Amino acid sequence: MLDYEIQGGWELNPPGLQSKARNYAVDGKRFTPSELDHRIKFVRRRSDLARPSGGGGESHIAQGKHRAIIALGANLGDRVGNIEAACKEMESRGIKVTKTSSLYETEAMYVLDQGRFINGACEVETTMAPINLLDTLQGIETTLGRNKTIDKGPRNIDLDILLYGTITFENERLSIPHKLMMEREFVLRPLCDLIAHESLPNPLSSGSFLAHLNALPPTSNPLSTTTPISRTLPPLTPQDPRRHTHIMAILNLTPDSFSDGGLHSSTDLPSLTQTIKSHITAGATIIDVGGQSTRPGATRISHDQELQRILPAIKLIRSLPEAHNTAISVDTYDAHVAAAAVDAGADIINDVSAGTMDPDMLPTAARTGKTVILMHMRGTPETMTKLTHYPDGVVETVGRELLERVKAAQAAGIRRWRIVLDPGIGFAKTQAQNLELLRRLEELREFEGLEGLPWLVGTSRKGFIGKVTGVKEPRERVWGTAAAVTAAVQGGADVVRVHDVEEMWKVVKMAEAIWRV
């Protein structure tokens, strides 16, 4: 008995399987009822067959893997969480998410009396035909609790097929390309994060998606990307000109850090508690906990040693009522340490190597679902001072090398909206290169492929400041650090990582009053 599969787009002639006295034509081949018998896997309703408009239906789609672009939206409940759950559901059902856009918070369109949306898009790889894909996406919406009562009304999750390869497709349930996509900034912006220089399929093509985005009339409230950092803090919004800069307080629990080695220890919890509370009182919104020194020449310790240093501190911070609205970052390039820190309560993984020093780091970070800071560095702390040759220029090269790390992170499953970048001041850079990166930070923020991502800048007490000011003792480099932090705010930093929290909070407030308007 032959086992024939009748798929959407393969029209039966005559329709239906009601009569066993007739032969059937499937995709141009004729079969008797006995050949088909009960072995048919499924038959699409005739209403699901494509009615082409100058283009093809599902019968014209080659079998195999296809790229599709899916719009993501939510304005009820945990909006980012709902979108992330939808991405996980897609992957569990055989739809591979290969790349994601940034997320954008937007006002509602059409039905205006509802909450603000979080919108994004993802590129997926699928073997499903368009109608099968639509059915699967609607099944995911149902699984996640969507109850559609008003067209274009409030929803906890919304999944729309924008594009499917280069085909056009039209029937009563689905239109590809999506009919309204070219008039919606909240669709075009995430689409441009993915395929800015592509265009609609022929014969609809009329310029790139980026050209269409740039041709939209300006709005009174320009969209900004949004990057979550913890459940209790507002997200980073790096394209909002009036945004506030977060203060990340450094809490090194190492005996050999260049500036404060041996100052703090998890074995002295009363003293550590006082330090943490003073940082929060002084204005820190993030505390970066580290147990492995990354100063030039530092050697690597075991992850067991690192965990012994940091876990008590993370648990302590998480237990303090004063720290309820404070995010915890773990400063590590060890995947095992990162996973354990997240289990203990860390919100952010801060990896100075951007995943290059531990091949398990990026997949591990993806599994945690936490926001990840990817810093530019070459080599290791032991070798980086010899890797400062940038023949194409430090800004161009740092941008290009960070873009490669962003791509690697996405390939490992880290969503674009979960990425923060760090230019790596003091890591594999000369004094002149450090200064140039600060001077040209705005250019780095606009590097093609990195647009809209938030940036952390860490200059606190570093050696290049000592060389410029002549101050040898790191703890006395407060004034030089203040100037560098000011430059970082002017250049667009979203987070500054500092030792002297009280002083740098005041510096940031003044810098914001000047430039964040």
Side-chain angles (χ1 to χ4, degrees):
M1 187 69 66
L2 298 176
D3 186 2
Y4 295 99
E5 182 176 353
I6 300 178
Q7 299 193 9
W10 290 2
E11 184 172 352
L12 294 180
N13 182 22
L17 293 176
Q18 296 86 353
S19 173
K20 292 210 173 187
R22 297 169 175 166
N23 293 335
Y24 294 90
V26 181
D27 200 26
K29 300 176 182 178
R30 299 190 69 82
F31 303 98
T32 66
S34 62
E35 286 176 314
L36 292 172
D37 197 31
H38 302 296
R39 306 295 296 279
I40 295 172
K41 294 181 179 178
F42 62 88
V43 180
R44 281 282 169 205
R45 299 186 303 274
R46 288 175 60 80
S47 63
D48 282 353
L49 297 176
R51 291 194 278 272
S53 176
E58 289 189 346
S59 60
H60 293 75
I61 301 170
Q63 294 185 1
K65 296 177 181 178
H66 297 274
R67 185 190 76 172
I69 306 296
I70 311 298
L72 311 166
N75 76 333
L76 294 176
D78 180 359
R79 298 171 298 170
V80 175
N82 293 341
I83 288 172
E84 292 178 331
C87 290
K88 287 183 178 180
E89 281 290 329
M90 280 190 268
E91 293 187 321
S92 73
R93 302 185 191 204
I95 304 168
K96 182 180 179 181
V97 178
T98 56
K99 191 162 50 170
T100 53
S101 73
S102 294
L103 293 179
Y104 298 81
E105 187 171 33
T106 65
E107 298 288 349
M109 290 183 69
Y110 311 115
V111 179
L112 303 181
D113 186 21
Q114 57 179 316
R116 291 169 64 87
F117 276 84
I118 293 290
N119 290 108
C122 63
E123 177 187 271
V124 303
E125 183 180 88
T126 180
T127 58
M128 298 179 187
I131 290 294
N132 292 23
L133 180 59
L134 176 64
D135 288 340
T136 302
L137 296 178
Q138 290 180 341
I140 291 171
E141 291 177 337
T142 300
T143 297
L144 296 179
R146 178 171 178 179
N147 183 19
K148 188 173 181 178
T149 57
I150 303 173
D151 186 37
K152 299 180 176 61
R155 66 214 82 163
N156 68 320
I157 189 64
D158 190 21
L159 305 173
D160 288 323
I161 303 173
L162 299 178
L163 299 166
Y164 185 99
T166 57
I167 74 160
T168 58
F169 183 95
E170 181 72 31
N171 81 355
E172 63 191 34
R173 294 183 63 206
L174 179 63
S175 296
I176 301 175
H178 194 285
K179 286 185 175 180
L180 301 175
M181 60 184 284
M182 304 306 280
E183 70 181 47
R184 297 172 168 179
E185 183 183 6
F186 65 81
V187 174
L188 284 174
R189 284 209 178 274
L191 189 62
C192 285
D193 289 338
L194 300 172
I195 50 172
H197 301 293
E198 296 187 28
S199 57
L200 290 173
N202 289 325
L204 304 175
S205 177
S206 59
S208 70
F209 296 120
L210 182 60
H212 279 277
L213 175 62
N214 291 335
L216 291 178
T219 60
S220 57
N221 295 306
L223 299 188
S224 172
T225 55
T226 181
T227 299
I229 52 178
S230 80
R231 288 187 174 275
T232 59
L233 284 177
L236 303 177
T237 53
Q239 293 170 314
D240 179 356
R242 298 184 180 182
R243 68 193 183 280
H244 290 298
T245 309
H246 284 268
I247 302 291
M248 175 186 277
I250 299 169
L251 186 62
N252 283 327
L253 301 166
T254 55
D256 57 341
S257 290
F258 81 96
S259 170
D260 54 358
L263 185 62
H264 308 298
S265 172
S266 290
T267 61
D268 187 356
L269 292 183
S271 176
L272 200 59
T273 300
Q274 184 177 353
T275 298
I276 293 165
K277 289 182 177 180
S278 69
H279 285 336
I280 295 170
T281 301
T285 51
I286 307 170
I287 296 179
D288 192 40
V289 181
Q292 164 70 63
S293 175
T294 54
R295 62 175 173 77
T299 57
R300 190 167 186 168
I301 62 174
S302 71
H303 55 237
D304 287 338
Q305 287 178 288
E306 195 173 349
L307 287 172
Q308 287 173 5
R309 294 174 180 177
I310 67 168
L311 288 185
I314 292 172
K315 293 175 182 177
L316 173 62
I317 298 169
R318 199 42 81 219
S319 72
L320 296 174
E322 296 89 342
H324 176 72
N325 293 323
T326 304
I328 301 173
S329 168
V330 56
D331 180 5
T332 186
Y333 49 77
D334 187 303
H336 179 80
V337 172
V342 168
D343 288 342
D347 304 290
I348 302 165
I349 298 170
N350 182 11
D351 182 0
V352 297
S353 79
T356 62
M357 292 182 64
D358 186 339
D360 292 330
M361 175 58 92
L362 296 181
T364 297
R367 287 192 294 272
T368 70
K370 298 299 183 180
T371 294
V372 181
I373 300 169
L374 304 177
M375 194 191 81
H376 178 270
M377 183 177 70
R378 289 172 162 181
T380 69
E382 293 175 284
T383 64
M384 63 184 179
T385 56
K386 300 176 182 178
L387 302 173
T388 60
H389 184 52
Y390 297 86
D392 294 332
V394 68
V395 172
E396 169 68 25
T397 308
V398 168
R400 187 171 64 239
E401 292 179 0
L402 275 177
L403 181 58
E404 289 303 312
R405 300 317 302 157
V406 170
K407 291 178 179 178
Q410 292 226 62
I414 297 172
R415 311 308 182 199
R416 184 179 174 92
W417 59 77
R418 286 287 182 181
I419 295 174
V420 178
L421 299 179
D422 182 337
I425 301 293
F427 288 79
K429 317 287 190 307
T430 65
Q431 175 181 323
Q433 291 162 351
N434 289 322
L435 295 171
E436 183 176 355
L437 283 170
L438 281 173
R439 189 181 309 119
R440 299 175 61 190
L441 181 60
E442 183 63 36
E443 294 176 50
L444 195 55
R445 293 178 67 241
E446 298 302 320
F447 190 88
E448 186 172 2
L450 304 181
E451 305 98 328
L453 290 172
W455 288 80
L456 177 148
V457 176
T459 59
S460 187
R461 301 180 179 178
K462 288 187 174 176
F464 80 102
I465 293 175
K467 290 179 181 178
V468 170
T469 61
V471 178
K472 294 183 179 180
E473 175 56 48
R475 296 183 193 182
E476 296 176 2
R477 295 172 185 164
V478 178
W479 291 107
T481 297
V485 166
T486 301
V489 174
Q490 181 186 11
D494 302 279
V495 183
V496 291
R497 182 177 182 272
V498 300
H499 297 86
D500 305 291
V501 176
E502 182 177 2
E503 293 85 347
M504 295 311 128
W505 182 87
K506 295 174 183 176
V507 169
V508 164
K509 292 297 287 185
M510 193 65 223
E512 287 181 342
I514 299 169
W515 284 296
R516 296 286 167 90
V517 293

